[in-house]
């Protein structure tokens, strides 16, 4: 059974955040690289667009987190926590965050993207042109790069999809080149 099918079974084919039943897809929780039921949630297109910041946040849409934050599934709890953190300036999310409990491992994963930090504290990854990079973006290499510890050379023009950001260093991202996970310096990539 595929991960998507397991998520649909788990959620009764509804968005695990807002309970919508239309335009559902699986969302891999950053910085996870592996696709599994424990690292994914089933979300509607409205939730996904706001999570990925493709559209402006609608605070009223996220009042649904009052229910989904109590999910028995850790992945859903982590996404609820992250979205409440983004909205904490609204007031009501702070009350929900005060009630919410995540164990140490889940809280560490929830904090991995820095949602709980103020904008001034966040590490911002930028490509060679100064464009902000996000988890899941696609980039292209702007020069040939020798991969340390191997004889491989990542060629200029190679597209690297579904990148992951290093949460401790704004100069590093991770991605797969020729099925090998490598660390890439941001000054050698351009966002697609």
């Amino acid at each position: 059974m595929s991960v998507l099918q397991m998520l649909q079974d788990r959620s009764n084919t509804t968005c695990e955040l807002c309970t919508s039943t239309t335009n559902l897809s699986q969302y891999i929780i950053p910085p996870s690289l592996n696709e599994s039921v424990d690292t994914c949630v089933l979300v509607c297109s409205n939730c996904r667009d706001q999570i990925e910041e493709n559209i402006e946040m609608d605070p009223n849409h996220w009042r649904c987190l009052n229910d989904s934050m109590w999910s028995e599934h850790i992945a859903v709890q982590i996404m609820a926590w992250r979205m409440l953190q983004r909205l904490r300036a609204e007031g009501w999310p702070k009350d929900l965050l005060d009630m919410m409990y995540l164990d140490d491992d889940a809280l560490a994963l929830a904090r991995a993207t820095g949602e709980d930090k103020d904008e001034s504290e966040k590490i911002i990854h930028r490509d060679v042109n100064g464009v902000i990079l996000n988890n899941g973006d696609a980039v292209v290499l702007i020069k040939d790069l020798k991969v340390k510890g191997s004889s491989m050379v990542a060629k200029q023009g190679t597209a690297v999809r579904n990148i992951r950001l290093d949460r401790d260093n704004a100069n590093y991202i991770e991605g797969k080149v020729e099925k090998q996970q490598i660390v890439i310096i941001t000054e050698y990539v351009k966002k697609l």
Side-chain angles (χ1 to χ4, degrees), residues 62-115:
W62 293 105
R63 291 193 180 267
C64 59
L65 296 176
N66 187 36
D67 295 325
S68 56
M69 69 184 240
W70 301 111
S71 171
E72 64 185 281
H73 306 289
I74 300 297
V76 177
Q77 294 174 20
I78 288 170
M79 283 310 303
W81 186 90
R82 286 182 180 177
M83 298 315 292
L84 288 169
Q85 285 291 345
R86 284 190 198 177
L87 293 164
R88 67 185 178 275
E90 296 289 321
W92 60 267
K94 178 101 173 76
D95 295 334
L96 295 179
L97 284 165
D98 289 342
M99 290 187 281
M100 196 170 184
Y101 172 79
L102 294 174
D103 66 34
D104 292 341
D105 292 338
L107 186 58
L109 182 55
R111 287 184 169 155
T113 55
E115 302 295 342

Side-chain angles (χ1 to χ4, degrees), residues 146-153 180 182:
K146 182 162 174 39
V147 178
K148 286 187 179 179
S150 80
S151 60
M152 185 177 111
V153 175
Q180 183 176 345
I182 63 170

Side-chain angles (χ1 to χ4, degrees), residues 8 41 57 64-65 81 104 109 137 139 150 155 165 167 176-177 185:
Q8 289 170 336
V41 291
M57 291 282 286
C64 59
L65 296 176
W81 186 90
D104 292 341
L109 182 55
D137 282 347
V139 296
S150 80
K155 296 289 185 186
L165 307 179
R167 63 183 179 159
K176 284 190 177 181
V177 174
I185 299 174

Side-chain angles (χ1 to χ4, degrees), residues 149-184:
S150 80
S151 60
M152 185 177 111
V153 175
K155 296 289 185 186
Q156 177 180 351
T158 301
V160 181
R161 304 196 188 290
N162 198 22
I163 64 167
R164 296 290 173 233
L165 307 179
D166 184 311
R167 63 183 179 159
D168 298 320
N169 190 327
N171 296 320
Y172 296 147
I173 59 172
E174 294 180 16
K176 284 190 177 181
V177 174
E178 297 179 16
K179 298 183 182 179
Q180 183 176 345
Q181 188 74 17
I182 63 170
V183 174
I184 307 167

Side-chain angles (χ1 to χ4, degrees), residues 129-145:
N129 296 325
V131 177
I132 294 176
L133 299 171
N134 296 302
N135 279 311
D137 282 347
V139 296
V140 65
L141 301 179
I142 62 166
K143 69 178 268 182
D144 290 353
L145 300 174

Side-chain angles (χ1 to χ4, degrees), residues 6 12 14-15 40 44 51 59 65 71 85 90 105 138 153 190:
M6 289 187 282
N12 200 21
T14 61
C15 176
C40 294
C44 66
I51 289 168
L65 296 176
S71 171
Q85 285 291 345
E90 296 289 321
D105 292 338
V153 175
K190 182 173 74 170

